[in-house]
Amino acid sequence: MPTYEYVCLSCGERFDQFQRMEDAPLEKCPDCRGPVRRLITGGGGFIMKGSNEMSSKAGVPSCGRETPCCGRDIPCGKSEECR
């Protein structure tokens, strides 16, 4: 079931609500009973975790250092040494 985010137009409260896609949007705030508006959000995306083999060539990080200062496979950009 998707999670929808709402904001109350009266009190400003933001809240999430699990709903089926065919359910009608909520109309009232659970706190003050004022009118609400459903927000458009990014939702849960597809995230792959692990090493990023596409960014490095032959085991050398793209910043050219043997090991970036942050310990990642790709430069973090937070240090001049990683750029």
Short mmCIF file of all heavy atoms in Angstrom, two decimals, residues 48 50-62 73-74:
data_model
loop_
_atom_site.label_atom_id
_atom_site.label_comp_id
_atom_site.label_asym_id
_atom_site.label_seq_id
_atom_site.Cartn_x
_atom_site.Cartn_y
_atom_site.Cartn_z
N MET A 48 20.07 0.77 -5.02
CA MET A 48 21.03 -0.34 -5.03
C MET A 48 22.18 0.04 -4.12
O MET A 48 22.72 1.13 -4.23
CB MET A 48 21.53 -0.61 -6.45
CG MET A 48 20.48 -1.17 -7.35
SD MET A 48 21.11 -1.59 -8.97
CE MET A 48 22.27 -2.88 -8.58
N GLY A 50 26.01 -1.13 -2.49
CA GLY A 50 27.16 -1.95 -2.79
C GLY A 50 28.19 -1.12 -3.52
O GLY A 50 28.07 0.09 -3.67
N SER A 51 29.21 -1.81 -4.03
CA SER A 51 30.27 -1.08 -4.71
C SER A 51 29.79 -0.61 -6.07
O SER A 51 28.98 -1.25 -6.72
CB SER A 51 31.51 -1.97 -4.87
OG SER A 51 31.20 -3.05 -5.72
N ASN A 52 30.30 0.50 -6.50
CA ASN A 52 29.94 1.08 -7.78
C ASN A 52 31.07 0.81 -8.76
O ASN A 52 31.97 1.60 -8.93
CB ASN A 52 29.69 2.59 -7.63
CG ASN A 52 29.17 3.21 -8.90
OD1 ASN A 52 29.06 2.54 -9.93
ND2 ASN A 52 28.85 4.48 -8.84
N GLU A 53 31.02 -0.35 -9.40
CA GLU A 53 32.10 -0.76 -10.28
C GLU A 53 32.17 0.10 -11.54
O GLU A 53 33.19 0.18 -12.19
CB GLU A 53 31.94 -2.23 -10.65
CG GLU A 53 32.07 -3.13 -9.45
CD GLU A 53 31.85 -4.58 -9.80
OE1 GLU A 53 32.09 -4.95 -10.95
OE2 GLU A 53 31.43 -5.33 -8.92
N MET A 54 31.08 0.74 -11.92
CA MET A 54 31.06 1.56 -13.12
C MET A 54 31.91 2.83 -12.96
O MET A 54 32.36 3.38 -13.94
CB MET A 54 29.62 1.97 -13.46
CG MET A 54 28.71 0.80 -13.74
SD MET A 54 29.16 -0.09 -15.22
CE MET A 54 28.59 1.05 -16.43
N SER A 55 32.09 3.31 -11.74
CA SER A 55 32.79 4.57 -11.54
C SER A 55 34.29 4.42 -11.41
O SER A 55 35.01 5.39 -11.43
CB SER A 55 32.24 5.28 -10.30
OG SER A 55 32.59 4.53 -9.16
N SER A 56 34.79 3.21 -11.25
CA SER A 56 36.23 3.05 -11.10
C SER A 56 36.77 2.17 -12.22
O SER A 56 36.10 1.29 -12.72
CB SER A 56 36.56 2.45 -9.73
OG SER A 56 35.97 1.19 -9.60
N LYS A 57 38.01 2.43 -12.60
CA LYS A 57 38.66 1.67 -13.66
C LYS A 57 39.81 0.89 -13.06
O LYS A 57 40.69 1.47 -12.44
CB LYS A 57 39.18 2.62 -14.74
CG LYS A 57 38.06 3.37 -15.42
CD LYS A 57 38.62 4.39 -16.37
CE LYS A 57 37.46 5.19 -16.92
NZ LYS A 57 37.87 6.45 -17.47
N ALA A 58 39.78 -0.39 -13.23
CA ALA A 58 40.84 -1.28 -12.76
C ALA A 58 41.14 -1.08 -11.28
O ALA A 58 42.28 -1.12 -10.86
CB ALA A 58 42.10 -1.08 -13.60
N GLY A 59 40.13 -0.81 -10.48
CA GLY A 59 40.29 -0.70 -9.05
C GLY A 59 40.81 0.64 -8.56
O GLY A 59 41.01 0.83 -7.38
N VAL A 60 41.05 1.60 -9.47
CA VAL A 60 41.52 2.92 -9.07
C VAL A 60 40.33 3.86 -9.01
O VAL A 60 39.58 3.97 -9.96
CB VAL A 60 42.57 3.46 -10.07
CG1 VAL A 60 43.01 4.86 -9.68
CG2 VAL A 60 43.75 2.52 -10.15
N PRO A 61 40.10 4.53 -7.89
CA PRO A 61 38.98 5.47 -7.79
C PRO A 61 39.09 6.57 -8.84
O PRO A 61 40.18 6.89 -9.30
CB PRO A 61 39.12 6.04 -6.37
CG PRO A 61 39.94 5.05 -5.63
CD PRO A 61 40.84 4.42 -6.64
N SER A 62 37.98 7.14 -9.20
CA SER A 62 37.95 8.15 -10.26
C SER A 62 38.70 9.42 -9.88
O SER A 62 39.01 10.22 -10.74
CB SER A 62 36.50 8.48 -10.64
OG SER A 62 35.79 8.92 -9.53
N ASP A 73 34.70 4.60 -2.92
CA ASP A 73 35.25 4.24 -4.22
C ASP A 73 35.28 5.43 -5.16
O ASP A 73 36.01 5.44 -6.13
CB ASP A 73 34.42 3.13 -4.87
CG ASP A 73 34.55 1.82 -4.13
OD1 ASP A 73 35.54 1.64 -3.39
OD2 ASP A 73 33.67 0.97 -4.31
N ILE A 74 34.44 6.44 -4.90
CA ILE A 74 34.37 7.62 -5.74
C ILE A 74 34.63 8.84 -4.88
O ILE A 74 34.42 8.81 -3.67
CB ILE A 74 33.00 7.74 -6.45
CG1 ILE A 74 31.87 7.78 -5.44
CG2 ILE A 74 32.81 6.61 -7.42
CD1 ILE A 74 30.50 8.03 -6.05
#
